[in-house]
Amino acid sequence: LYTGSNAGDDKRYIPPDFAGFGQREGAVEGDTELISGVQYNVLRQSTQLYPNRAGTLTIAPAQLVIPATATTAERTLQTEPITITVRPLPEPIPADFIGAVGQFELGAVTLEPETLALQQPATLTITLSGTGSLEQIQRPDLLLPETEWRIYNHSMAVDVGDDGSSVTFTWMLVPQQAGLLTLPAFTMSSFDPQQNGFTTLSAVLPAVQVAPGDETIIDSIPLDQQERMDQSDAQGTADIT
């Protein structure tokens, strides 16, 4: 938005209708610019968009309403509409695709505490990071042998920034057997628009030495988490926060 240095502040900006898109507002940046000897105040508003469906989508015009004055009538300035074509994801879509679109990699994997006793809760954390869209991400499945582990709850936290995005997945695990338990590799798929294909990402999970312990230690888990796990077992779902 370019305005003269003597323009008033009572203008009304109407953003575009982003029908068919999810959106995230960026920062508003202010500056001045000299054009043909005239200095203008410049405001730049960025909006990150991600399409919710394939096909032809149109970004409606943005509008700026300039109120009437003693000598001029009200005026409305607007941009041109923008039409884009959104390609559908190619088939077949991998079963472990969770909605991440862009260039991503699986980063840090932690299991705390690193040494466990039987029925002692531990927290497994896996971080996915990169550039692209994570707004439509879904929780991934963590496949562990039921005779060795019980998963009590699951959460994920998405952090979207201008320079990159990340999502942290967290599970609370409880070992059901003593001994050396090896966790299987964690895998998931993302879609890379630059390559026009799916990418399989994998992370090696640590092996855990589980000592014999008090099988009643599970009572130390908060009751609400036990109840949520019971519901997850019955419904095949996990909590997401």
Side-chain angles (χ1 to χ4, degrees), residues 27-184:
V28 178
E29 299 179 351
D31 200 356
T32 60
E33 189 171 332
L34 192 65
I35 302 177
S36 300
V38 179
Q39 182 168 286
Y40 291 87
N41 297 320
V42 183
L43 289 178
R44 295 182 175 88
Q45 168 72 62
S46 63
T47 303
Q48 187 178 85
L49 303 177
Y50 54 96
N52 293 327
R53 62 176 185 267
T56 301
L57 301 179
T58 299
I59 300 174
Q63 297 181 328
L64 181 69
V65 179
I66 303 174
T69 67
T71 58
T72 61
E74 180 180 278
R75 293 182 297 155
T76 299
L77 307 179
Q78 69 176 35
T79 61
E80 295 294 329
I82 301 174
T83 300
I84 65 172
T85 300
V86 180
R87 303 191 310 267
L89 294 175
E91 299 286 350
I93 298 176
D96 60 358
F97 174 64
I98 62 171
V101 178
Q103 293 76 46
F104 295 98
E105 62 181 7
L106 287 173
V109 177
T110 61
L111 182 66
E112 297 180 349
E114 296 180 352
T115 58
L116 296 173
L118 185 65
Q119 295 287 354
Q120 179 184 359
T123 300
L124 175 67
T125 302
I126 301 176
T127 300
L128 173 71
S129 61
T131 57
S133 171
L134 288 173
E135 283 80 355
Q136 295 176 308
I137 198 168
Q138 302 171 351
R139 69 175 183 88
D141 291 326
L142 181 65
L143 304 178
L144 301 179
E146 294 183 358
T147 57
E148 296 181 1
W149 297 96
R150 195 175 184 196
I151 304 174
Y152 266 80
N153 65 349
H154 168 262
S155 66
M156 67 181 189
V158 179
D159 181 15
V160 180
D162 294 332
D163 298 327
S165 304
S166 66
V167 57
T168 301
F169 306 107
T170 303
W171 296 265
M172 187 172 71
L173 311 179
V174 177
Q176 305 297 297
Q177 292 183 9
L180 182 62
L181 302 185
T182 301
L183 297 172

